Amino acid sequence: MGGGADGVAYFGNLETVSKKAVSFLKKQGYVKSMINWGDKFSLWPVHLMTSCCGTEFAAASGPRFDLERLGFLPFGGPRQTNLIVIEGTTTLKMARSVRIVWEQMPAPKWVIAMGACAMDGGIFYDSYNTVPAKDIVPIDIFLAGCPPRPEALARAVVMLQESIVKNRPPAADIQVTAAPATPGPKDVVEAVSK
Amino acid sequence: MIQILSLLMSVSLVSFIEYILPPILYIIVFPGLIVVLLMLFFMIWLERKVAAKTQLRFGPLYVSKRFGGVIQTVADLIRFSFQEFIIPAGADVFAYIQAPGLLMAFGLLPLIFIPVGPYYANIFPANYSLLIVVPLIIITPIYVILLGWASDNKFSFVGSMREAFLVISYEIPLILSILSMILLYGSVNAINGVSFQIGRGIPGIVLNPIAAFLFLVVMIRTTGRFPFEISEAESEVVMGPYTEYSALFFGIGMSLPYIELYSFSLLFSVLFLGGWWPIVPSAAAASGVVGGLLLPGLVVFIKALIVMAFLVFLRAVYPRYRIDQAITVGWDQAVYLGFAAVALSMALVWSGLV
Amino acid sequence: MSAPQDRTATANLTYDELAGLKADRELVLLIGPAHPGSGHMKIKVWMDGDIIQRVDPDIGFVHRTTEKLSENRLYIKAIPIVERVMLPDTINANLAYVIALERLLGIEPTPRAQYLRTLTSEINRITSHLYGIGLYGIFLGSSTVYMWAFADREPLIDLIEEISGARITYSYIIPGGVRWDLPAGFKERAETVLQYMEARLKDYGKIWVRNPVVMDRTEGVGVVSKSDAIRLGITGPNLRASGVDYDTRRAKPYAAYPNLDFEVPTFSEGDCYARLLQRVEEIEQSIRIIRQVLKDIPDGRIISDDIYSKMNPLQKRMYEMKHRVMFPAYMASMRPAAGRSTASVEAGRGEIFFYLVSNGDKVPFRFRWVTPSFLNLPFFTHVMVGQHLADLPAIYGSSDYFPPEADR
Amino acid sequence: MTGRKNNRIKGHVDALATGFKYLAEPNRMTLNYPDESMNLKDNYRGFFAVKDKTCIGCSLCEIVCPPKAISMLDLTDAGGKKKKRPMIDWGLCIFCYFCVDICPTDAFQTSQVHDKAFYSETEYQTVHGEPMQYPYDYSKRPDYKEIYESFHDVAPDDPSAGSKKVVPKFDKKRGIKYEHPGQP
């Protein structure tokens, strides 16, 4: 424990110390599988309604499909969550919010691109105001349909859980997607593998 | 070194059981840390499950299908523990980091002063228990305010301001409610209060229902249950004071309302539900660990559990009040009710009915 | 932070300096677009203490350029586009567009198709109102009502799914008629669902509508007077909750509505509670309409002869076998004669207005539509001033505003 | 239900009693999805494939497709004759079934499969292998013959095939309940 110049006390450099500790712990096999188990059953999507698939997202958390069974609890703030479900089209204006929310979220984070609009553009493929979701954030699961049925969202969550258990790293760790200053449909994705 | 060893050897097994084990049991096991932790896991799961049941669905299930997903909170805790901890750029770092810890500490502190068995008097000074518990309960929300203040977020700020307003407006009803019971029992020692109820055979909730109702309302407010879940209102101020907190610190912060709920419920069952009645340990058994501590403690705990279950069930029924309505209730009707409760107690005592 | 601490220091300040102090006290909140109480929009709120001074909604987060897209595509391709804009209420958007298109083409749908359009439209109206009521629950903090409303949408959604083969985006109504006929035994199943819905509405009354906390939160909050409602141009249930008896189903009848007997409920108070009750009442009326439609529905073809005659023999055989309309190639090459047409339809949130101009080409020359949510937008900025911060979600939720619909 | 005068105490009691009623007698309508899945109606609009023999290559489906998810491929069959066949991009398809309905020969093989998700773009853009370009980007079109061979006449694989199939039934009291067709 050291003393800062202007009367602020530091516990070392908190960020580096905690990162070192976490990376050490994560190398231990049993710890890793425990973390995976925790992540698997605690996928909390952030409240980010990008478009109209939000109605089916809402129905998926509703009683008939009740994704809370799988530990999927929609939550308000981005700081406490670890999953974004991009619900349909992202417009140029919304793309910035999506990127900001994604960057506000703490580290192991996943993204589900829900619906045709988030995949290749769907019916709005040639609109001047929409962006494919993969140009904004790295995406783990793509989900077909317009809008996909709630079961399909459940399928995406199940597939995400499987990939977590199989130690597949989140797409955020593999791809480095540069945030376009003004993201547009023709912006090139720079996917750099580690 | 040798002196210490000889001292240890001189401590016989009997004195170990009599003098050293009970405080350890009391602090670590019950109603201390381990039970608090288990209660926390269970209560958060129960809240989600009860709400889900009322809402025509299952709630957490797949994490352990056979037991209805009872370890859901454990999974959430593990996930929170290993998530990235983010300190916002504008936050007051020192306050931001220490606030959740202090919150936890002050949330746990009242537990020491709530007697859960007659044996309690042998370990801790119980003579002023009610006088100590009240300020300890009231002081905790100050750290909630600190939490919001340190975060440098407007929603946290608004949320902590709401918390501050509500704390102030519900202090007087809480004090009046406890005061009326102190007047009735003629003692600030909660053990005397329980023996009063056991001796008369009437629980406090029947003796002074106004005070009990008022205490319940204050309890709902302080622990942020619906319809008084105002400082964390998700659709208004996101998560209120907790908006910027991530990872384990959020877990610590969010567990506070449940710890408060626990201490309040213990206090409620001691003050109003007859404490450890129907188990009335004899004088000999009262000084034993099992008869004096564990069995009465279990009874108090079960009563507290029922109270907690009722309070978490309210989530399924009510939306939330507006802040000004809640404050008006606190300063207006609740204070009148408090005076009525005190008057009722005085009338009971003076008329010699109890 | 520079506010003077000394009490006497403010005594001699001029008005402008005091106003500066006030600006120092002012709190500006940016609510949205990733805020649990905002939906797909950003609301900028200036507050003095807990009182809202000014509200500036920043819309356009879901602007998907439907008008421009439709002007570059075949007429038939606009059906899915208009649906995506009003996702809780797709049938009504679809119906409004198809009515405008039919007027351009000069096609008249068959009576049975008219009844089927009314039927699906009313079922969709119930699901749309339930969607609004459910989200209002979230805004006021009651997750139970949200869950219940979304649970009770499901049987109704299943009913339309039986007819149209999709959960939300039905694309059911086409020029000249509808795409599928009623399946066997539909009437009995629909009656079961309606009885279930009626029983559930009583429980909604107990836990939500008559709940004292809800009444405290909504009564007298966000009051829109009758004259204000007309002046601001708001529409739909919000307009009727302010005491204006205007319903497009009555004023400009379409589909099978002229033959049906139903009431248009109105409330005079114009506050959030009236808007909530308005939706509950309209659900009851919709149930009544659905019963009548199922009783009175005439037999016959579900597609007009204009379209049927253009089908090839295989498609005609498919229609006779499966009661399912196959598209003749004409659907991909519709060229309405030059002209213009309009259509108004009462959707769940209010009146949709369509304006189509054709210059004889296979794509529309002008495609213009006005959606109800956009018309309802001015009213909540109007009434939020002077209310508490906590009333913002209460008013927003009561208006049942759906941002994608407003942004188009 | 519409009156405004309300007894507050009765209101609280009613609300709590209704809550307790549903707590004591849970009226669940949850489908346990990954374990159970619904049998949808025959006309449900799910994933579909092309019947190669029936297709005459008239391109009507390509013309009518609203999101341009269908693009016609120029292929040569075994006899060396040129033919056109539709190719579907699931990243664009909105399941409106305009293509299915406009087909003059009813050449689409429909299914009720509706719950497909993909780990990467390469998986969905043809379902079977090589990624397809955007339909309007004709300059980069590769030879799709092999892909098409593996694609047509193949019913889309159902991710929920292994789960228990249930049939939703309407109920006056519970709204929706599920019945297992296999059980009596």
Side-chain angles (χ1 to χ4, degrees):
Chain A
M1 191 204 250
D6 40 357
V8 182
Y10 292 112
F11 300 86
N13 186 340
L14 196 78
E15 201 171 319
T16 46
V17 167
S18 55
K19 270 182 185 163
K20 270 182 192 168
V22 168
S23 63
F24 169 77
L25 278 174
K26 278 185 177 172
K27 275 174 198 156
Q28 316 297 315
Y30 56 93
V31 177
K32 183 70 193 157
S33 58
M34 189 180 77
I35 298 172
N36 284 345
W37 179 81
D39 283 341
K40 178 184 173 187
F41 289 111
S42 181
L43 289 167
W44 288 14
V46 61
H47 180 103
L48 176 78
M49 297 284 164
T50 62
S51 255
C52 48
C53 283
T55 45
E56 285 298 71
F57 178 82
S61 10
R64 191 173 185 189
F65 302 101
D66 187 24
L67 293 194
E68 203 183 339
R69 286 174 301 125
L70 306 168
F72 179 93
L73 179 71
F75 208 74
R79 298 281 194 219
Q80 296 90 30
T81 50
N82 59 352
L83 174 66
I84 294 186
V85 180
I86 294 181
E87 293 136 354
T89 335
T90 35
T91 60
L92 288 176
K93 201 171 178 180
M94 188 60 98
R96 253 168 86 203
S97 315
V98 173
R99 184 73 192 186
I100 289 171
V101 168
W102 183 79
E103 281 172 359
Q104 278 175 335
M105 279 167 37
K109 49 193 167 190
W110 292 269
V111 183
I112 293 176
M114 182 181 181
C117 301
M119 294 166 88
D120 278 354
I123 195 164
F124 302 106
Y125 66 97
D126 58 349
S127 167
Y128 59 80
N129 202 28
T130 62
V131 198
K134 58 182 179 245
D135 288 4
I136 310 165
V137 286
I139 286 164
D140 291 275
I141 305 270
F142 295 89
L143 184 49
C146 188
R149 278 180 75 93
E151 284 118 308
L153 186 57
R155 171 63 52 191
V157 173
V158 168
M159 278 172 66
L160 191 56
Q161 288 182 341
E162 279 167 9
S163 82
I164 289 170
V165 170
K166 283 179 193 156
N167 254 330
R168 191 173 177 268
D173 291 358
I174 315 170
Q175 304 170 19
V176 180
T177 310
T182 49
K186 296 292 172 194
D187 268 328
V188 183
V189 190
E190 289 190 354
V192 183
S193 300
K194 250 185 186 174
Chain B
M1 196 64 191
I2 296 164
Q3 284 172 337
I4 295 172
L5 270 178
S6 60
L7 190 71
L8 278 177
M9 284 168 75
S10 72
V11 177
S12 67
L13 189 66
V14 176
S15 62
F16 176 76
I17 291 177
E18 199 167 331
Y19 296 108
I20 300 175
L21 185 62
I24 295 175
L25 273 180
Y26 200 78
I27 293 171
I28 307 285
V29 183
F30 181 80
L33 299 172
I34 291 179
V35 173
V36 165
L37 198 67
L38 289 178
M39 184 279 311
L40 211 61
F41 286 146
F42 180 73
M43 232 47 228
I44 295 174
W45 169 79
L46 188 75
E47 176 162 20
R48 289 169 71 172
K49 208 68 181 172
V50 162
K53 215 173 169 187
T54 317
Q55 294 162 356
L56 325 173
R57 62 199 177 94
F58 280 105
L61 180 66
Y62 271 60
V63 63
S64 63
K65 256 188 244 176
R66 197 170 299 167
F67 304 104
V70 72
I71 50 174
Q72 177 65 51
T73 324
V74 182
D76 290 339
L77 181 80
I78 289 173
R79 195 259 291 177
F80 271 129
S81 308
F82 290 95
Q83 253 184 327
E84 185 184 0
F85 177 54
I86 299 169
I87 301 175
D92 182 340
V93 179
F94 194 59
Y96 185 82
I97 293 173
Q98 69 167 343
L102 284 171
L103 198 62
M104 191 76 161
F106 276 89
L108 287 170
L109 218 49
L111 288 176
I112 301 179
F113 297 98
I114 302 169
V116 292
Y119 193 88
Y120 169 86
N122 300 1
I123 308 162
F124 297 106
N127 295 346
Y128 303 104
S129 48
L130 287 178
L131 280 190
I132 300 170
V133 165
V134 174
L136 281 179
I137 283 178
I138 290 171
I139 208 169
T140 327
I142 288 177
Y143 292 94
V144 177
I145 298 165
L146 179 66
L147 217 67
W149 189 266
S151 302
D152 186 36
N153 180 316
K154 282 176 184 170
F155 293 115
S156 300
F157 173 68
V158 174
S160 57
M161 282 299 107
R162 287 178 168 200
E163 180 77 19
F165 277 120
L166 287 168
V167 168
I168 293 166
S169 38
Y170 281 83
E171 257 173 22
I172 293 171
L174 174 69
I175 292 168
L176 285 175
S177 155
I178 292 183
L179 178 70
S180 63
M181 295 325 277
I182 290 174
L183 285 173
L184 192 64
Y185 300 148
S187 165
V188 290
N189 186 343
I191 296 182
N192 289 356
V194 176
S195 40
F196 182 95
Q197 295 173 55
I198 294 174
R200 302 294 188 286
I202 313 171
I205 194 167
V206 181
L207 285 173
N208 196 339
I210 306 176
F213 175 72
L214 194 59
F215 191 88
L216 203 67
V217 171
V218 176
M219 192 159 138
I220 296 170
R221 195 331 277 156
T222 311
T223 55
R225 301 292 97 203
F226 281 85
F228 291 105
E229 194 243 31
I230 292 167
S231 53
E232 290 137 38
E234 205 173 318
S235 60
E236 292 156 25
V237 289
V238 195
M239 284 305 291
Y242 309 100
T243 304
E244 285 289 349
Y245 276 87
S246 58
L248 197 57
F249 280 46
F250 173 74
I252 293 172
M254 275 315 283
S255 62
L256 176 88
Y258 294 90
I259 295 172
E260 275 189 332
L261 183 65
Y262 180 55
S263 50
F264 263 96
S265 306
L266 285 180
L267 195 59
F268 187 82
S269 39
V270 165
L271 276 181
F272 297 104
L273 299 179
W276 41 89
W277 183 84
I279 290 186
V280 188
S282 61
S287 59
V289 174
V290 176
L293 186 96
L294 290 182
L295 273 181
L298 193 67
V299 173
V300 176
F301 181 67
I302 289 170
K303 286 177 180 173
L305 210 60
I306 293 168
V307 176
M308 284 192 278
F310 174 70
L311 290 201
V312 297
F313 162 72
L314 292 180
R315 169 178 288 270
V317 177
Y318 286 114
R320 65 176 77 84
Y321 272 118
R322 207 166 62 207
I323 171 93
D324 59 318
Q325 289 166 343
I327 290 174
T328 312
V329 169
W331 283 114
D332 198 6
Q333 286 99 319
V335 173
Y336 294 144
L337 269 184
F339 284 129
V342 172
L344 179 63
S345 285
M346 283 176 168
L348 283 174
V349 172
W350 279 337
S351 63
L353 283 174
V354 288
Chain C
M1 297 304 113
S2 61
Q5 297 298 312
D6 190 1
R7 266 174 61 201
T8 55
T10 54
N12 299 322
L13 291 179
T14 63
Y15 177 79
D16 287 348
E17 283 164 336
L18 271 174
L21 281 184
K22 195 175 167 234
D24 214 30
R25 275 173 37 202
E26 205 172 48
L27 180 67
V28 185
L29 278 184
L30 297 176
I31 298 181
H35 185 283
S38 75
H40 328 50
M41 70 189 291
K42 180 155 79 185
I43 310 173
K44 201 172 178 184
V45 186
W46 285 264
M47 295 199 313
D48 181 10
D50 199 36
I51 307 294
I52 296 172
Q53 300 293 318
R54 192 149 76 85
V55 174
D56 181 14
D58 179 6
I59 61 169
F61 279 90
V62 211
H63 173 55
R64 286 173 295 186
T65 69
T66 52
E67 291 181 3
K68 196 69 204 163
L69 289 183
S70 306
E71 282 170 13
N72 289 303
R73 297 190 188 180
L74 300 178
Y75 278 97
I76 190 85
K77 291 186 182 183
I79 290 176
I81 293 181
V82 298
E83 279 187 337
R84 262 61 183 178
V85 167
M86 307 180 59
L87 213 64
D89 204 9
T90 50
I91 284 280
N92 287 312
N94 186 346
L95 179 58
Y97 171 67
V98 169
I99 288 177
L101 181 56
E102 277 170 351
R103 286 178 186 162
L104 266 187
L105 290 166
I107 301 178
E108 189 66 28
T110 60
R112 188 173 174 82
Q114 295 280 35
Y115 270 81
L116 282 173
R117 287 175 179 193
T118 310
L119 172 73
T120 45
S121 164
E122 288 303 318
I123 295 176
N124 214 186
R125 190 183 315 282
I126 300 179
T127 60
S128 167
H129 282 338
L130 282 175
Y131 184 88
I133 290 171
L135 286 193
Y136 199 22
I138 282 286
F139 279 124
L140 291 189
S142 172
S143 50
T144 299
V145 171
Y146 163 78
M147 291 296 174
W148 280 18
F150 275 78
D152 293 340
R153 280 176 83 220
E154 294 295 336
L156 294 154
I157 286 177
D158 267 21
L159 275 185
I160 316 191
E161 189 189 304
E162 273 189 21
I163 310 177
S164 71
R167 248 181 78 86
I168 299 283
T169 45
Y170 312 108
S171 302
Y172 179 60
I173 298 168
I174 51 170
V178 293
R179 283 171 77 182
W180 287 275
D181 206 344
L182 287 184
F186 182 85
K187 282 179 192 177
E188 291 74 39
R189 290 198 292 276
E191 183 55 35
T192 314
V193 173
L194 294 183
Q195 281 175 11
Y196 167 74
M197 198 60 228
E198 278 175 336
R200 289 280 290 167
L201 278 179
K202 291 195 182 96
D203 283 344
Y204 277 87
K206 282 179 187 159
I207 211 166
W208 177 244
V209 182
R210 309 286 289 168
N211 192 326
V213 181
V214 179
M215 295 183 77
D216 279 352
R217 283 300 301 273
T218 53
E219 269 187 314
V221 172
V223 179
V224 190
S225 66
K226 190 171 178 175
S227 59
D228 272 352
I230 295 168
R231 185 173 59 82
L232 292 166
I234 64 178
T235 174
N238 297 336
L239 178 69
R240 294 193 282 276
S242 291
V244 183
D245 188 1
Y246 176 81
D247 189 317
T248 319
R249 290 174 292 177
R250 271 281 163 72
K252 307 167 191 166
Y254 57 92
Y257 287 111
N259 313 332
L260 297 171
D261 171 35
F262 64 98
E263 283 168 22
V264 178
T266 54
F267 287 87
S268 56
E269 290 87 352
D271 57 358
C272 293
Y273 193 59
R275 290 190 279 274
L276 173 64
L277 291 177
Q278 179 72 30
R279 295 200 159 76
V280 177
E281 289 280 300
E282 289 195 7
I283 290 178
E284 285 171 357
Q285 287 303 319
S286 291
I287 290 176
R288 191 174 152 194
I289 296 176
I290 293 169
R291 286 225 169 92
Q292 285 180 45
V293 168
L294 288 174
K295 200 163 102 266
D296 299 345
I297 187 163
D299 291 333
R301 268 203 200 115
I302 56 169
I303 191 81
S304 73
D305 290 340
D306 296 330
I307 305 289
Y308 185 77
S309 60
K310 293 188 173 80
M311 290 183 189
N312 68 24
L314 174 83
Q315 288 178 329
K316 277 180 185 162
R317 213 161 58 238
M318 290 280 287
Y319 175 79
E320 300 305 334
M321 270 164 52
K322 294 188 178 173
H323 294 284
R324 165 183 173 187
V325 174
M326 306 294 279
F327 291 2
Y330 169 71
M331 284 288 184
S333 62
M334 279 184 287
R335 283 170 188 268
R340 55 185 74 185
S341 72
T342 59
S344 295
V345 159
E346 182 73 24
R349 291 172 177 73
E351 182 176 349
I352 309 178
F353 176 75
F354 256 100
Y355 175 61
L356 285 183
V357 181
S358 163
N359 59 354
D361 205 349
K362 60 184 177 182
V363 297
F365 176 73
R366 185 76 181 98
F367 181 102
R368 169 85 184 130
W369 63 316
V370 183
T371 43
S373 277
F374 186 70
L375 297 176
N376 287 335
L377 181 68
F379 112 79
F380 64 77
T381 62
H382 170 75
V383 297
M384 268 176 199
V385 176
Q387 304 278 6
H388 294 270
L389 174 65
D391 287 334
L392 191 143
I395 296 168
Y396 183 101
S398 77
S399 74
D400 197 6
Y401 177 74
F402 188 61
E405 189 181 301
D407 293 346
R408 298 196 292 279
Chain D
M1 197 195 283
T2 50
R4 284 196 169 226
K5 286 213 173 65
N6 191 17
N7 185 342
R8 293 184 67 87
I9 294 171
K10 186 175 177 296
H12 282 294
V13 170
D14 272 354
L16 284 170
T18 314
F20 269 122
K21 193 179 105 189
Y22 279 88
L23 183 65
E25 208 182 319
N27 207 359
R28 288 180 178 130
M29 59 161 69
T30 308
L31 172 82
N32 248 328
Y33 170 67
D35 294 340
E36 297 172 349
S37 63
M38 271 193 282
N39 263 344
L40 296 169
K41 294 281 176 303
D42 288 343
N43 67 347
Y44 187 79
R45 315 208 293 249
F47 284 79
F48 51 91
V50 185
K51 293 183 226 163
D52 190 49
K53 288 244 172 72
T54 328
C55 179
I56 53 173
C58 67
S59 300
L60 269 176
C61 49
E62 188 196 21
I63 294 168
V64 86
C65 181
K68 276 202 171 179
I70 293 182
S71 44
M72 300 303 287
L73 307 178
D74 295 315
L75 304 170
T76 39
D77 63 6
K81 270 204 278 179
K82 292 229 161 147
K83 61 177 185 182
K84 278 176 169 253
R85 288 294 178 267
M87 188 77 187
I88 303 146
D89 180 357
W90 301 117
L92 288 166
C93 180
I94 58 166
F95 302 93
C96 61
Y97 269 33
F98 282 1
C99 50
V100 177
D101 280 358
I102 208 168
C103 184
T105 56
D106 196 22
F108 281 94
Q109 181 184 342
T110 60
S111 80
Q112 284 83 52
V113 177
H114 53 83
D115 50 352
K116 283 173 91 74
F118 311 96
Y119 283 119
S120 67
E121 298 154 44
T122 46
E123 280 180 53
Y124 67 76
Q125 278 176 337
T126 58
V127 184
H128 295 277
E130 196 179 346
M132 198 170 105
Q133 305 300 317
Y134 277 70
Y136 46 83
D137 195 2
Y138 289 106
S139 58
K140 292 181 193 165
R141 176 183 283 185
D143 182 20
Y144 283 110
K145 188 164 185 294
E146 283 178 29
I147 304 165
Y148 180 75
E149 292 300 323
S150 68
F151 166 70
H152 69 79
D153 290 335
V154 178
D157 50 331
D158 187 357
S160 56
S163 59
K164 197 159 66 177
K165 292 281 177 192
V166 293
V167 184
K169 283 268 169 13
F170 296 120
D171 189 87
K172 217 177 284 184
K173 193 161 165 291
R174 305 182 52 123
I176 291 176
K177 61 181 181 183
Y178 301 98
E179 282 177 1
H180 305 285
Q183 291 166 1

